[in-house]
Amino acid sequence: MRAKRTATGAALAAGALAATGLALAPSAAAVTPQSATITASCGIFGGGPATLTATQSGTSATLSLTSTAISAPVTVAADSITSTLTMAKAGGGSVVFSGTKNPVMNPGDPVSVGPLSGTVASGYRLDAYGGSLKMVIFGITVTCTASGPQSPGPFVF
């Protein structure tokens, strides 16, 4: 009978310890801030304020960009723009987000691409300043760069 109580007590103690470990485990990673603004320059295609929006799930992250200052010159079909967003990583290097996601855009509509997928590690600090966005639309490459650091600051993953 004593062995049965010891085994039961040990099982309860192990269960309590496991529950405590789960309660103290770190929560899922989240990027901060979730959105930031930049001033983008796209050469002859225009420029102005743009908003970047970030999401994160583990090591997978997505970034989307929308700009009311840069508009579509012609009708663009959904998911027809090949986009590569290169973000500068604090301390050197870069992280690339890419994809072919975009909404339908009619002439004059704000340019919007994403979500573009990339891989991040905990602690990465990424800024559009020092990187670029390349969009291939109807075979024409449009390259946009930020004229300064994003606000309120870099994305921290």
Side-chain angles (χ1 to χ4, degrees), residues 83-154:
S83 302
T84 304
L85 175 62
T86 302
M87 299 287 287
K89 187 170 70 168
S94 61
V95 176
V96 175
F97 295 82
S98 60
T100 56
K101 295 289 185 189
N102 64 273
V104 171
M105 290 177 270
N106 293 309
D109 284 352
V111 168
S112 182
V113 296
L116 307 174
S117 301
T119 302
V120 295
S122 180
Y124 273 16
R125 299 174 63 84
L126 303 180
D127 198 309
Y129 186 57
S132 66
L133 171 64
K134 291 185 182 181
M135 300 175 285
V136 179
I137 310 165
F138 305 123
I140 299 170
T141 300
V142 177
T143 301
C144 302
T145 57
S147 59
Q150 62 192 45
S151 177

Side-chain angles (χ1 to χ4, degrees), residues 39-122:
T39 300
S41 174
C42 301
I44 64 170
F45 299 100
T51 301
L52 290 162
T53 305
T55 63
Q56 178 185 9
S57 178
T59 60
S60 297
T62 63
L63 284 173
S64 299
L65 180 136
T66 301
S67 177
T68 56
I70 305 165
S71 57
V74 296
T75 299
V76 178
D79 303 334
S80 64
I81 300 175
T82 300
S83 302
T84 304
L85 175 62
T86 302
M87 299 287 287
K89 187 170 70 168
S94 61
V95 176
V96 175
F97 295 82
S98 60
T100 56
K101 295 289 185 189
N102 64 273
V104 171
M105 290 177 270
N106 293 309
D109 284 352
V111 168
S112 182
V113 296
L116 307 174
S117 301
T119 302
V120 295
S122 180

Side-chain angles (χ1 to χ4, degrees), residues 1-12:
M1 183 76 144
R2 182 178 191 125
K4 187 174 182 180
R5 273 191 260 164
T6 302
T8 303
L12 287 173

